[in-house]
Amino acid sequence: MALTRSDRRSELDLLAILCLAPSLLYVLAMFVYPFVYGIYISLQPAKRGAAGILSNYVAFFSDAYQYSTIKTTFLLALPTTIAVVLIALFLAYGMRRGVWFERTITTILVLPISLGVVFLSEGILGFYGTNGWLNQMLLAAGLIENPLELTHNSIGVIFSLFMQNFPFCFLMLLGYISGIDPSLESSARMLGAGPWTIFRRVMFPLIAPGLIIAFALVFVMSFAVFPSAVMVGQPAGSTRTISIAAYQQAFEQYDMSYASAIAVIMGLCQLAALVAIVLVRRRMTIATTMGVGKR
């Protein structure tokens, strides 16, 4: 007897659940459980104050030295994210239909992925440091009298974050923009639209949803900055981020409960930023963008 439509649909639903089960288990084990356990630990303060189980959170927001790390982290992550997304958009848009030596240029642009954060930070110190090559060349040329302070401050951290996050953003936007149907540009050009009008009125509304997703991913990665803030920043001063505050409580003060509370606050800040970004994306034009790609 032939299967009815409802039986066939039930089998497909069961097959979909079986296929999704390993991914769901992985997410539960690697993300949901650690986050829930972190919240539980944060509610078990070593020293209970008047606030009881919320003592860690009250202590964090009552200490300007601690809660100012949120502002510091935002001031590092936001400018980096804006710079990364804008420059990646500019380059990806220019390379959307192919350019000479495209593979070589792409390889050079994404090379920092293979270097690692530590090696990249060491390179920044060697090139941009007070005694680095850049300052030596500028001093030798007589362009400056005193070395530029480009490391062990927020500038050095932003340099490092930019180099770490740019390749991912560039590749994401290049793939997204290259998939937009070229006939849309051709039609606008035939109607007399110039390059700026085409970008502003035709391309940007189609690019915007992917641009928002790229912005969100870069911001989350930048907000979690830790090694760069330590190696090329000033971890006890201007670049003391919230991740450094959590590390200090966990491995210097050995207060895992307080460290978990700081980590939860950090996660909530990232979640709040993502919610705001998603709300902005919902206002963007959603249209079919995929076509034949490069021609």
Side-chain angles (χ1 to χ4, degrees), residues 98-275:
V99 295
W100 289 99
F101 303 107
E102 179 180 358
R103 292 184 179 180
T104 303
I105 295 173
T106 303
T107 301
I108 294 172
L109 291 176
V110 303
L111 186 61
I113 293 178
S114 64
L115 299 179
V117 179
V118 176
F119 188 76
L120 192 62
S121 298
E122 289 291 338
I124 291 174
L125 290 173
F127 187 81
Y128 295 104
T130 305
N131 297 319
W133 295 356
L134 178 62
N135 275 312
Q136 291 181 16
M137 290 187 292
L138 294 176
L139 288 170
L143 298 176
I144 58 175
E145 296 181 357
N146 298 310
L148 300 175
E149 296 183 2
L150 301 176
T151 57
H152 300 299
N153 51 30
S154 58
I155 297 175
V157 178
I158 291 175
F159 278 165
S160 180
L161 288 175
F162 180 91
M163 294 179 187
Q164 294 171 43
N165 297 329
F166 176 81
F168 298 101
C169 185
F170 169 72
L171 290 176
M172 184 186 306
L173 290 179
L174 181 62
Y176 190 87
I177 296 174
S178 298
I180 296 177
D181 195 340
S183 63
L184 299 174
E185 291 184 73
S186 300
S187 299
R189 197 175 296 111
M190 291 176 61
L191 294 173
W196 171 245
T197 303
I198 293 175
F199 173 79
R200 182 170 59 88
R201 301 293 297 273
V202 178
M203 298 296 290
F204 185 76
L206 299 176
I207 297 171
L211 195 66
I212 292 295
I213 296 301
F215 186 95
L217 294 177
V218 174
F219 179 83
V220 169
M221 291 189 293
S222 299
F223 197 87
V225 56
F226 179 78
S228 298
V230 174
M231 296 189 66
V232 296
Q234 193 177 13
S238 62
T239 64
R240 184 175 182 267
T241 61
I242 191 170
S243 59
I244 294 177
Y247 172 85
Q248 290 174 338
Q249 291 299 321
F251 300 106
E252 294 180 7
Q253 303 298 324
Y254 300 104
D255 190 345
M256 292 301 299
S257 179
Y258 195 7
S260 297
I262 296 175
V264 170
I265 292 170
M266 176 180 173
L268 293 177
C269 289
Q270 292 174 301
L271 182 60
L274 286 177
V275 170

Side-chain angles (χ1 to χ4, degrees), residues 79-95:
T80 301
T81 304
I82 293 174
V84 167
V85 171
L86 288 180
I87 296 176
L89 174 63
F90 176 78
L91 293 175
Y93 187 79
M95 297 173 62

